[in-house]
Each structure stands twice: as structure tokens, then as C-alpha cells.
Amino acid sequence: DGGITQSPKYLFRKEGQNVTLSCEQNLNHDAMYWYRQDPGQGLRLIYYSQIVNDFQKGDIAEGYSVSREKKESFPLTVTSAQKNPTAFYLCASSIDRLAGLAGELFFGEGSRLTVL
Amino acid sequence: GEDVEQSLFLSVREGDSSVINCTYTDSSSTYLYWYKQEPGAGLQLLTYIFSNMDMKQDQRLTVLLNKKDKHLSLRIADTQTGDSAIYFCAEGSLRSSNTGKLIFGQGTTLQVKP
């Protein structure tokens, strides 16, 4: 079945460590996105990629990094520079950026990161 | 700047109608959406409405759009316990067409009591 897979579902990190969250899709979508969700807040865009080997900063990119070496994969690294990394992270994809604008986003099940 | 606001919590009894409200600030909004998030899961697109429409109905869901007041609502008829979830309002505008970026509200937690 086609879909988006995020891993791990739960992750614990010590302060000062970098961690990488995986996002893989087999939907043949060009565009991929990373959102952060905090309780009582909407989703905030961290990074997005419209095509392979290209990505752009979203609203809260500081302390995060991404790569898009393959169409199917868009991993997110939470670096030690991110001051408050404990959150629920959601990866999404759309056929292309215009489909993303039309709200046709397909979401993964999310990864919950906790900093100890 | 662009902003989307929702109340955080709504509680209804099973079988009643639920109305979840949302306000937005961007007058150039082209599309307005409702997403549903079940516990520990990602978001699923429920429905959307173009800004040149006033109403859209899809089975138990009715979306109403008041462009003058920049107010969007989602009505769920005959609410069931399976409707318990967080509902997000989101807007997209032509100004974000270069990014495909949606602006999300805070989410409204709907609690359905048996």
C-alpha cells in the first residue's frame, strides 16, 4: 500500500545530541514537508522540499537540518542548537507544491521526540 | 501576518450536532480546509472549500464560509464517538503559492460523550 512512513515513533534524546527522524514515501510525490506540533498550537512548518536536491526553510527552521537526496526520502535532523526540541514531528507529502497548496497533503503517523 | 484561530475544546453528546469554528486573517485566502487528527496519528484531510463558495456539504459534514467576517465553520451532524479527535482549520493563499504552505490553526479537541 502507498503511504508515508515515519520512524521512529518515539525517540528519547539527551541534551546536546543530534537526532535524525526518518520520513519515507512511496506515493511518487514531488513535494515533502516537515511540521512540528506542540500542545495547543497549530502545525508549524520547519522545512519543505518541492523537488529532489532542493529544500527551503519554513517558519521555524533554526536548529533543524534536512536533505533530499532521493525523491522518496526527506530526513529531518534535530540538532543540539534547537533550544526546545521536545515535540511531535509530522512529515507530509503532496503530488507537487500546487497540490500542497490545495490541501492535498498526506501525513505520516508522526514521531514524538522527548529530550531528557 | 497570516493567522488562523480556533477554540481549543468542544464537548458534545453522541447524536448531537457539533460546530467547530475558525477565523482567519488573510483576505487573499484561496482554499480553506478541515483536517482531522486522531490520537497519536497524522492528519487526514476531511474537506475543503474554495473561497468563492459559501457552503459545502459532504455527508454528515457541512462547511460554511463567511468571507466578510473571515469565519469558517465545520458542522458534524449526528456526532458519533468515533468523531472524537482534534480538528484543524487551515488556509492557503495565492501568496503562498511559491511554497505550497498552509497556515494551520491551533486545533479544536472534540470530545463526544456517550
Side-chain angles (χ1 to χ4, degrees):
Chain A
D1 282 358
I4 299 183
T5 302
Q6 288 186 240
S7 63
K9 196 168 175 66
Y10 299 95
L11 185 61
F12 297 89
R13 182 193 100 173
K14 291 182 181 178
E15 280 195 40
Q17 286 182 334
N18 292 357
V19 292
T20 298
L21 307 180
S22 168
C23 178
E24 303 278 331
Q25 53 97 0
N26 60 3
L27 299 166
N28 200 32
H29 284 175
D30 281 329
M32 297 185 74
Y33 312 81
W34 274 105
Y35 286 91
R36 171 181 171 140
Q37 183 179 14
D38 295 283
Q41 296 194 39
L43 276 67
R44 292 181 290 168
L45 183 65
I46 304 172
Y47 267 99
Y48 63 97
S49 168
Q50 297 178 14
I51 202 163
V52 175
N53 292 322
D54 179 69
F55 51 83
Q56 305 293 331
K57 291 182 179 179
D59 298 320
I60 55 164
E62 186 176 346
Y64 299 97
S65 66
V66 293
S67 63
R68 188 83 188 278
E69 295 175 5
K70 296 188 298 181
K71 187 176 186 177
E72 308 80 37
S73 179
F74 191 42
L76 173 74
T77 297
V78 185
T79 75
S80 56
Q82 168 50 234
K83 298 291 183 241
N84 185 20
T86 295
F88 190 54
Y89 291 88
L90 285 161
C91 180
S93 71
S94 62
I95 295 172
D96 55 33
R97 65 172 177 81
L98 291 179
L101 175 63
E104 296 168 31
L105 294 177
F106 291 79
F107 281 85
E109 300 242 320
S111 293
R112 186 167 296 281
L113 172 64
T114 303
V115 174
L116 303 172
Chain B
E2 304 152 341
D3 196 17
V4 178
E5 296 282 338
Q6 299 176 242
S7 55
L8 294 182
F9 188 77
L10 175 66
S11 181
V12 301
R13 290 198 179 278
E14 191 173 17
D16 288 350
S17 291
S18 308
V19 179
I20 302 171
N21 295 301
C22 170
T23 57
Y24 60 96
T25 57
D26 189 352
S27 57
S28 69
S29 294
T30 307
Y31 304 87
L32 294 139
Y33 318 92
W34 286 104
Y35 279 84
K36 177 182 180 182
Q37 183 182 34
E38 295 187 357
L43 278 67
Q44 291 179 298
L45 180 63
L46 273 182
T47 187
Y48 65 92
I49 189 168
F50 294 113
S51 59
N52 61 356
M53 297 167 65
D54 298 323
M55 185 183 87
K56 181 178 180 182
Q57 187 149 4
D58 183 1
Q59 299 183 336
R60 291 191 297 122
L61 305 179
T62 303
V63 179
L64 294 177
L65 175 61
N66 181 329
K67 278 192 73 177
K68 176 174 169 291
D69 296 337
K70 295 183 190 145
H71 182 266
L72 182 73
S73 67
L74 174 69
R75 179 177 181 269
I76 305 173
D78 186 25
T79 312
Q80 303 297 307
T81 54
D83 294 323
S84 294
I86 304 175
Y87 291 81
F88 288 92
C89 171
E91 64 96 8
S93 74
L94 291 176
R95 280 199 282 134
S96 52
S97 63
N98 286 333
T99 70
K101 183 176 83 170
L102 302 185
I103 308 297
F104 285 85
Q106 306 95 315
T108 299
T109 297
L110 175 63
Q111 179 190 65
V112 183
K113 297 179 180 177

